[in-house]
Amino acid sequence: MAPLVAMPAARVEPWLPGFAGWRRPLRRVLSIGLFFVVWHFATKWDADVYVRFQNIPTPGEVLVEAVALFGGLAFYGHILASLERIWLGFALATVLGVGLGLVIGWFRFAEDTLFPPLELLRPIPAVAWVPLSIMLWPTERSSIVFITTLGAFFPIVLNTIHGVEGIDRQLVRAAIFREVILPGALPSIVTGLSVGMGVSWICLISAEMISGQFGVGYFTWVAYGIVKYAQIVVGMLTIGVLGMLSSLVVRLVGARFMPWLPRRAKGGA
């Protein structure tokens, strides 16, 4: 009897040429669309299942308000103010966090002397720093940038430390810092940068709401004070889009510096 020969599995071709590469982007677009559909019907039917939607504006009302806001110049001023603060604070946090993380992760003396104060300050919410930052810094802009820097700093420095500590020190004996330590810690550093960007946006908006005079957070808080519900949602969605795009930029730049990693490991589709 002739031995059985395993036949290779037939390749299943997509029902539409080129569709395979669009499946994940399409699913993501559809998920956002489903979000807006649920929002529309929840507000249209005045849903009240513990969570109340009676005073929530519909997507159509928010769209009308967004068109009006983006048709003028004032709202762009708030956006630019927030973007300037977020990227300046994030840049400072990156330089300080990566630098300190590399030193603390590699040198025991630095870990013993620098890490304990960081651990003492890390659990303090950035919002709790707002009163002190107003006293520390001479201008509203510098105090908000300080809060934004704090939000990104701790995720960056901790992920950098963990990335350095995970490197096999036997590999470094005959190698230089730039060729082994930094590339070895880079995936963790990029993860910290991505997380830090998200936390930084949270801290920025909170600081703008409390002590700001410009910015999307300040705009959203003022809209709440004058009972402009549609403007509140426009501000919130603007924050979400800006935060999402900022994190995307961080991941794309990080992937450029890690060509040796698989696409999925770099956060690709």
Side-chain angles (χ1 to χ4, degrees):
M1 180 177 180
L4 296 176
V5 179
M7 299 296 293
R11 182 180 177 183
V12 179
E13 295 292 339
W15 64 274
L16 186 65
F19 177 72
W22 289 93
R23 281 183 296 185
R24 293 197 68 191
L26 182 61
R27 285 199 300 263
R28 297 182 182 192
V29 171
L30 290 176
S31 69
I32 295 177
L34 179 61
F35 165 77
F36 282 100
V37 169
V38 173
W39 174 12
H40 169 75
F41 284 106
T43 53
K44 180 180 179 180
W45 295 336
D46 291 333
D48 187 3
V49 186
Y50 189 73
V51 179
R52 299 168 298 175
F53 284 84
Q54 286 86 348
N55 294 323
I56 303 299
T58 65
E61 294 170 341
V62 172
L63 178 61
V64 171
E65 190 65 42
V67 170
L69 287 171
F70 283 100
L73 296 177
F75 193 57
Y76 290 101
H78 291 294
I79 292 176
L80 291 176
S82 292
L83 288 176
E84 182 207 17
R85 292 162 178 167
I86 198 75
W87 285 108
L88 181 55
F90 184 75
L92 291 172
T94 300
V95 173
L96 296 174
V98 173
L100 276 176
L102 292 173
V103 172
I104 293 173
W106 194 252
F107 300 103
R108 290 184 178 178
F109 179 79
E111 181 180 3
D112 294 338
T113 56
L114 298 178
F115 190 66
L118 293 179
E119 280 294 278
L120 174 66
L121 299 176
R122 183 170 65 90
I124 303 175
V127 178
W129 285 90
V130 172
L132 188 60
S133 69
I134 295 174
M135 294 185 288
L136 283 172
W137 301 97
T139 65
E140 169 235 351
R141 174 175 174 268
S142 57
S143 63
I144 293 180
V145 169
F146 170 72
I147 297 297
T148 306
T149 303
L150 276 180
F153 171 76
F154 291 106
I156 293 173
V157 70
L158 288 177
N159 276 275
T160 303
I161 292 171
H162 293 157
V164 173
E165 290 177 342
I167 297 173
D168 186 356
R169 293 180 179 251
Q170 300 295 327
L171 300 175
V172 192
R173 289 185 175 180
I176 62 175
F177 183 88
R178 185 178 61 185
E179 293 180 348
V180 174
I181 300 178
L182 188 57
L186 198 54
S188 294
I189 293 174
V190 173
T191 299
L193 292 173
S194 182
V195 174
M197 175 57 78
V199 178
S200 191
W201 268 104
I202 296 172
C203 297
L204 169 69
I205 299 305
S206 301
E208 287 181 343
M209 286 183 171
I210 295 173
S211 64
Q213 295 180 356
F214 297 97
V216 183
Y218 170 78
F219 169 85
T220 305
W221 184 249
V222 170
Y224 170 75
I226 60 177
V227 199
K228 294 279 189 177
Y229 295 130
Q231 289 188 4
I232 294 172
V233 180
V234 172
M236 293 172 60
L237 292 177
T238 301
I239 293 166
V241 171
L242 293 176
M244 180 181 66
L245 293 178
S246 299
S247 296
L248 178 62
V249 169
V250 172
R251 291 196 299 269
L252 291 177
V253 172
R256 295 282 295 180
F257 284 94
M258 298 184 296
W260 62 88
L261 289 182
R263 189 180 181 188
R264 182 175 294 274
K266 292 186 289 188

